[in-house]
Amino acid sequence: MSLTAGVVAVQGDVEEHAAAIERAAAARDREVAVREIRESGLVPDCDLLAMPGGESTTISRLIRDEGIAPEIRNHVAAGKPLLATCAGLIVASSDPNDDRVDQLDLLDVGVERNAFGRQKDSFEAPLEVDGLDDPYPAVFIRAPAIDSVGDAEVLATWDDRPVAVRQGSVVGTSFHPELTPDSRIHGLAFFENEAAAVPDVESSR
Ligand code: GLN
């Protein structure tokens, strides 16, 4: 069966995430239709979801005002996969350390916004990621660091700080996995996470 993917599209690299989802699915001979999520009512039909970077204050406000936030919570409560990247990670966290961010509380981590910012606004690092055989070329742009970890599992660290975590069906990264042709992080989040339910080829609906 064909999968339905949603990319939260209030801000950020929406097309790049859509393309990465398509590459990750194609690598597994799966068909996927990607929808951009700007309003409520679409998330319930999605088998998997990506929440891109951008500005966490803006994203959290818009998904709340549009009624998308509770739908994302329900998606995760149903065990469906969510990949939250950069600002998306901040929004998905349990503690954004910033009152202007209305967090979703889906990943039990505290984050520090713009922790890798200022002097090195953007850089690429070869990251060892749990579950991947070779280093992943991770692009960091005004990236948050994870400064406390509760129930989540750390998948990667950079500079001694966690930069990729997983909790159940949710994967969060400080970096931007949509900005390289390498779709292994999308693959890990959507197809290789045993805690996440993606309908298999045989099932019908
Ligand atoms: N600095 C942004 C924030 O704190 C995140 C940056 C990004 O998503 N590239 O919301």
Side-chain angles (χ1 to χ4, degrees):
M1 64 168 282
S2 176
L3 298 168
T4 303
V7 181
V8 177
V10 291
Q11 258 193 345
D13 302 322
V14 176
E15 283 171 25
E16 290 84 350
H17 267 290
I21 292 168
E22 284 164 0
R23 281 196 303 275
R28 293 161 178 83
D29 281 330
R30 298 299 309 263
E31 278 174 37
V32 66
V34 186
R35 294 175 170 186
E36 298 187 1
I37 310 291
R38 289 197 183 78
E39 61 201 39
S40 62
L42 299 172
V43 171
D45 288 334
C46 292
D47 300 305
L48 49 103
L49 268 187
M51 186 155 58
E55 205 57 44
S56 48
T57 49
T58 310
I59 294 171
S60 70
R61 178 165 44 80
L62 290 175
I63 61 173
R64 183 194 60 205
D65 292 354
E66 293 298 326
I68 300 168
E71 295 183 342
I72 298 174
R73 285 203 185 92
N74 289 341
H75 174 92
V76 172
K80 297 180 187 175
L82 167 70
L83 173 60
T85 62
C86 203
L89 161 69
I90 300 168
V91 175
S93 76
S94 55
D95 185 3
N97 281 305
D98 188 326
D99 290 345
R100 293 166 301 169
V101 180
D102 192 4
Q103 74 272 20
L104 289 172
D105 213 353
L106 298 172
L107 280 169
D108 190 12
V109 295
V111 298
E112 181 190 345
R113 295 182 60 201
N114 303 319
F116 296 102
R118 302 277 140 73
Q119 67 275 48
K120 305 190 268 181
D121 260 350
S122 169
F123 62 97
E124 186 174 318
L127 210 60
E128 300 282 350
V129 181
D130 261 19
L132 301 185
D133 291 339
D134 302 307
Y136 184 85
V139 176
F140 291 80
I141 303 170
R142 294 179 59 231
I146 295 165
D147 57 12
S148 63
V149 179
D151 277 339
E153 166 198 1
V154 175
L155 298 178
T157 58
W158 185 254
D159 229 1
D160 292 330
R161 311 176 90 164
V163 291
V165 287
R166 171 164 57 201
Q167 185 173 343
S169 65
V170 185
V171 170
T173 68
S174 300
F175 54 91
H176 287 262
E178 77 284 8
L179 290 183
T180 57
D182 188 330
S183 63
R184 285 179 296 157
I185 296 288
H186 289 76
L188 194 69
F190 297 137
F191 299 105
E192 270 144 52
N193 182 0
E194 282 170 14
V198 170
D200 60 28
V201 186
E202 287 81 38
S203 65
S204 57
R205 39 159 98 190

